[in-house]
Amino acid sequence: MLKSWVVMPTCLPTVLRRCHACASERFRANGKFRVNAHHKLLDAWLLVLCTACGDTAKLTVLERMNVRSVRPELLARMHDNDPVLAAELLQDPVVLRRNRIALDWAGAWRLDTGGSDHVDREVSDVIDVSVRFAARIPVRPVRLIAEGCGLSRAEVEKLITEGKLVSAVRLSGKLSDDFTFTLKR
């Protein structure tokens, strides 16, 4: 029996960065952009707000780019404050590295198991599950499997050590790429 699960974002993640005004370390993105032109050069920032004091910080998206080298549809999306573009840019490794930020996905994602609450244990002896990530959300596979199967994390760890839960990828640590696993009962 093959099941498909999807890890889906429910909102934008929290940006982890130190606030200059209050020393808080958490910002929330609201999908607003600021675009500034200097003759033929363009700067663009994604605006984030401190969760403690409300101070605004700018995450650099484009820096001193020639206006002609920026795709018109990208520029239009920034002018329209496109929240989908904000989500894409927050997951871009180049933007994360350039701004020296990290993301906290706690409470910003959910597991969609395709309608069934938990995997039926009595229906089949072997269950193959394909887990797909709709966004680059780092999650522990043990947590996903526990949530999707209605088990505790300790039970999932026990199934792994007994060889009843196998996967081509390492199930310890965090993953943000698609993977599959097989549960043998």
Side-chain angles (χ1 to χ4, degrees):
M1 168 184 268
L2 178 64
K3 299 265 187 182
S4 293
W5 294 353
V6 180
V7 178
M8 302 179 65
T10 55
C11 60
L12 293 175
T14 303
V15 175
L16 300 177
R17 173 185 172 164
R18 191 169 213 51
C19 178
H20 298 291
C22 71
S24 170
E25 295 186 2
R26 303 180 79 72
F27 285 81
R28 62 180 159 72
N30 58 2
K32 303 280 187 208
F33 290 90
R34 176 160 184 233
V35 180
N36 194 12
H38 307 279
H39 301 287
K40 294 182 182 180
L41 300 177
L42 194 71
D43 289 325
W45 301 276
L46 176 62
L47 302 178
V48 291
L49 301 172
C50 177
T51 56
C53 69
D55 194 42
T56 302
K58 299 184 291 189
L59 304 180
T60 303
V61 176
L62 300 174
E63 190 170 34
R64 300 290 179 193
M65 295 284 297
N66 190 314
V67 174
R68 292 182 190 263
S69 67
V70 178
R71 294 185 333 263
E73 60 272 3
L74 175 64
L75 196 54
R77 289 175 72 188
M78 282 191 223
H79 283 298
D80 293 339
N81 292 319
D82 185 0
V84 175
L85 178 62
E88 291 171 8
L89 290 171
L90 276 177
Q91 296 173 44
D92 185 356
V94 174
V95 173
L96 295 175
R97 192 172 40 256
R98 176 187 291 156
N99 292 286
R100 293 186 218 122
I101 60 171
L103 301 178
D104 181 9
W105 283 94
W109 62 272
R110 68 179 174 84
L111 178 64
D112 182 10
T113 57
S116 62
D117 288 341
H118 302 298
V119 174
D120 283 335
R121 297 177 191 144
E122 298 82 24
V123 174
S124 177
D125 290 337
V126 178
I127 300 165
D128 292 318
V129 179
S130 170
V131 180
R132 188 176 63 80
F133 287 81
R136 294 187 53 80
I137 304 170
V139 182
R140 296 186 185 283
V142 171
R143 179 178 179 190
L144 288 177
I145 296 167
E147 186 176 321
C149 295
L151 302 170
S152 69
R153 290 187 199 173
E155 290 173 311
V156 172
E157 294 284 354
K158 182 179 173 190
L159 290 170
I160 292 171
T161 39
E162 291 174 352
K164 294 182 179 180
L165 180 60
V166 293
S167 178
V169 298
R170 199 177 86 229
L171 295 175
S172 61
K174 290 187 176 185
L175 287 176
S176 59
D177 295 323
D178 300 350
F179 70 97
T180 59
F181 67 89
T182 302
L183 178 61
K184 303 171 193 171
R185 290 280 174 178

